[in-house]
Amino acid sequence: MHCKPNNLGIIERKEREKAEMRRRIVDAAVEMIVEEGYEKVSIRNIADKIEYSPATIYLYYKDKDELLYDVQSQAFATLAEEFREKINAEDPFKRLEQLAVAYLEFSRQHPELYDLMFIIKAPMNTLVEKEKWENGDPSYDALHGLMQECIEKKVVKFKDATIATLSVWGFAHGLISLHLRGRCTKVSRVPEEDVPRVIATAIDEYLEMIKA
Amino acid sequence: MHCKPNNLGIIERKEREKAEMRRRIVDAAVEMIVEEGYEKVSIRNIADKIEYSPATIYLYYKDKDELLYDVQSQAFATLAEEFREKINAEDPFKRLEQLAVAYLEFSRQHPELYDLMFIIKAPMNTLVEKEKWENGDPSYDALHGLMQECIEKKVVKFKDATIATLSVWGFAHGLISLHLRGRCTKVSRVPEEDVPRVIATAIDEYLEMIKA
DNA sequence: CAAATATACTGAACAGTGTTTATTTTCCAA
DNA sequence: TTGGAAAATAAACACTGTTCAGTATATTTG
């Protein structure tokens, strides 16, 4: 039979401890993904790192995908921080340029996190039992709001904010992910070491092109 | 000691049989990837399908990545075929539009192959001991040549063919891969069923935008 | 405080993966 | 027919995610 503890302080502490444990697990996973790469992140390795048995992790996450969803959430938090720091112009178009630079820089500084956020399938499997992608939504909404403002002030050529948002995001993501997954490498006429600069230039040119 | 067979017909047959075996392996893998998805493709499953032991596959491929590289090659062959069928206009810009439509359609009809060609890491690991990505190069070159022609005839705004190529490819790939990896789904203001149409529209608008 | 119970944790196993090695089977040449 | 090379494999290794029976630790109740 279910027996609730009388003392409410204890049940609160239990919840706090549960949250702390989840945090320990996610922190360990983030650290591993950043320092050793996504492929090294296994349930057993995480368990070793936090000094628990692998089975224990399944008391806090129903599967690895759900754990990775929380890691992704953490990654989006650091991206949001970057955005807050680096997007501060008055002019909406200038803010769009700042956003593009910050996004590109983030992908360079945290390629493995970028992968988890925008490429790897696993964390999105948990979305089937959610109605929204809470992790990505704030960033998407930020860009959407910015594009809407750009459209209203007629500083871009777009008419529809959704198409504008997906276009800008897609353009940057396309180049970044092709590079990240090695598709720009060893292709004719693109010297390996030039790729990053070409990507930056392409994004610059694109932003010039959509300018009204 | 090494003993070459005197009869040259036999050594030829051996090579033919070796090639046939590699073809059987790749065909089985392609079939599995198309019918059951990339995740179902394992050495053991392939071995079962062609009725050989798993270890036998390692007599023809040094590892799974090398095998997947050949599967990728097969996928690029079918894409090239699509291109040959659907790109036939005189006007280079019209050809560019035809290419974009064919590329987008391919990604819809063969999402798992698209994944292997442009997103999945594995097959690219074999590139470390190659000097060129022979699989992707012809398609890349086709687009590069087309962009160069468009620039020469001044039907696009681009100045540099490499940046033009990466921009067009990146734009399409960005939208397609975000969609394929579930990043457009369950994001604010983008109704699930509208995504494909929005992507097509965005590509159309982009092509209009780069038109000189 | 002691007994009963609920919670937290883990060892061991299951089913799967890519890959290697020693062994056996098949094939060809002398 | 026999010696030896070539081809195929069974079995193992080291991993993976995940589950479950059993143990240890708290907490509540008599």
Side-chain angles (χ1 to χ4, degrees):
Chain A
M1 175 187 157
H2 238 64
C3 172
K4 296 175 188 174
N6 295 344
N7 191 336
L8 286 183
I10 285 176
I11 173 174
E12 265 176 42
R13 176 173 57 80
K14 293 262 158 152
E15 270 169 34
R16 207 171 53 235
E17 281 173 355
K18 193 133 190 161
E20 274 169 21
M21 183 60 143
R22 282 172 73 104
R23 176 137 280 279
R24 265 198 298 272
I25 294 170
V26 171
D27 284 353
V30 170
E31 214 177 299
M32 287 184 64
I33 212 174
V34 168
E35 289 175 9
E36 306 176 64
Y38 173 76
E39 297 200 338
K40 290 282 169 195
V41 177
S42 74
I43 299 293
R44 278 174 181 82
N45 286 348
I46 295 172
D48 277 359
K49 190 151 192 162
I50 62 174
E51 293 176 296
Y52 278 86
S53 138
T56 302
I57 290 175
Y58 286 88
L59 301 174
Y60 299 89
Y61 288 102
K62 80 173 234 288
D63 56 25
K64 193 188 180 186
D65 293 352
E66 195 179 85
L67 196 170
L68 289 175
Y69 188 78
D70 268 13
V71 176
Q72 192 192 60
S73 161
Q74 195 65 30
F76 267 103
T78 76
L79 176 64
E81 209 174 314
E82 296 284 310
F83 279 172
R84 268 193 300 278
E85 281 178 23
K86 294 178 178 169
I87 305 177
N88 49 31
E90 278 287 318
D91 179 44
F93 196 86
K94 183 75 201 162
R95 287 214 300 286
L96 180 58
E97 289 174 332
Q98 291 175 325
L99 184 145
V101 169
Y103 189 82
L104 181 59
E105 203 155 307
F106 181 89
S107 78
R108 290 211 196 301
Q109 241 139 25
H110 311 288
E112 300 279 341
L113 293 182
Y114 186 93
D115 218 318
L116 186 69
M117 293 160 83
F118 301 112
I119 304 181
I120 290 167
K121 267 180 179 157
M124 307 311 274
N125 292 338
T126 65
L127 283 220
V128 293
E129 55 223 13
K130 289 185 197 284
E131 82 293 9
K132 254 180 45 168
W133 183 29
E134 307 107 328
N135 288 351
D137 233 44
S139 299
Y140 180 89
D141 261 24
L143 180 58
H144 185 95
L146 181 51
M147 292 318 295
Q148 196 133 43
E149 193 182 332
C150 285
I151 291 172
E152 280 162 14
K153 296 192 177 166
K154 298 188 194 302
V155 294
V156 294
K157 289 175 183 160
F158 291 108
K159 301 247 142 60
D160 180 78
T162 295
I163 286 179
T165 306
L166 283 179
S167 292
V168 172
W169 181 23
F171 189 89
H173 171 72
L175 293 170
I176 290 168
S177 63
L178 282 175
H179 183 45
L180 229 56
R181 293 308 181 94
R183 261 66 177 190
C184 296
T185 289
K186 296 189 179 177
V187 104
S188 304
R189 297 168 236 243
V190 187
E192 183 115 29
E193 65 276 15
D194 289 359
V195 176
R197 191 154 23 91
V198 172
I199 289 175
T201 308
I203 293 177
D204 277 358
E205 275 193 19
Y206 178 69
L207 291 178
E208 277 306 307
M209 197 123 59
I210 65 173
K211 205 183 239 167
Chain B
M1 177 185 159
H2 238 63
C3 172
K4 295 175 189 173
N6 294 345
N7 192 337
L8 286 183
I10 285 177
I11 173 173
E12 265 175 41
R13 176 173 59 78
K14 293 260 160 156
E15 269 169 34
R16 207 171 54 237
E17 280 173 356
K18 193 134 191 161
E20 274 168 21
M21 183 59 145
R22 283 171 73 105
R23 175 137 283 276
R24 264 199 299 272
I25 294 170
V26 171
D27 284 352
V30 170
E31 214 177 298
M32 288 183 63
I33 212 174
V34 168
E35 288 175 9
E36 307 176 65
Y38 173 75
E39 296 200 337
K40 290 284 169 194
V41 177
S42 73
I43 299 294
R44 279 174 180 81
N45 288 141
I46 295 172
D48 277 359
K49 190 151 192 162
I50 62 174
E51 293 176 296
Y52 278 85
S53 136
T56 303
I57 290 175
Y58 287 87
L59 301 175
Y60 299 89
Y61 287 103
K62 79 172 234 288
D63 56 25
K64 194 188 179 183
D65 294 351
E66 196 180 86
L67 196 169
L68 289 174
Y69 188 78
D70 268 13
V71 176
Q72 191 192 60
S73 160
Q74 195 64 29
F76 268 103
T78 76
L79 176 64
E81 209 175 314
E82 296 284 309
F83 280 173
R84 268 193 300 277
E85 280 179 24
K86 295 179 178 168
I87 304 176
N88 49 32
E90 278 287 318
D91 178 45
F93 196 86
K94 184 74 201 161
R95 286 215 300 285
L96 180 58
E97 289 174 331
Q98 291 176 325
L99 184 145
V101 169
Y103 189 81
L104 181 59
E105 202 154 309
F106 181 88
S107 78
R108 291 210 195 300
Q109 241 140 25
H110 312 288
E112 300 279 341
L113 293 182
Y114 186 93
D115 217 319
L116 186 69
M117 293 159 83
F118 301 112
I119 305 181
I120 291 166
K121 267 180 181 156
M124 308 310 276
N125 291 339
T126 64
L127 284 220
V128 293
E129 55 223 12
K130 289 186 198 285
E131 83 291 10
K132 252 179 46 169
W133 183 29
E134 307 107 330
N135 288 350
D137 233 43
S139 299
Y140 180 89
D141 261 25
L143 180 57
H144 186 95
L146 181 50
M147 292 318 296
Q148 197 132 42
E149 193 182 333
C150 286
I151 291 171
E152 280 163 12
K153 298 193 175 165
K154 298 187 193 302
V155 295
V156 294
K157 290 175 182 159
F158 292 107
K159 301 248 142 58
D160 179 78
T162 295
I163 286 179
T165 306
L166 283 179
S167 292
V168 172
W169 181 23
F171 189 90
H173 171 73
L175 292 170
I176 290 168
S177 64
L178 282 175
H179 183 46
L180 228 55
R181 293 306 183 97
R183 261 65 176 190
C184 296
T185 289
K186 296 190 179 178
V187 104
S188 305
R189 297 170 236 238
V190 188
E192 184 114 29
E193 65 276 15
D194 289 0
V195 177
R197 190 154 23 91
V198 172
I199 289 175
T201 308
I203 293 177
D204 277 359
E205 275 192 19
Y206 178 70
L207 291 179
E208 275 306 306
M209 197 123 58
I210 65 173
K211 205 183 241 166

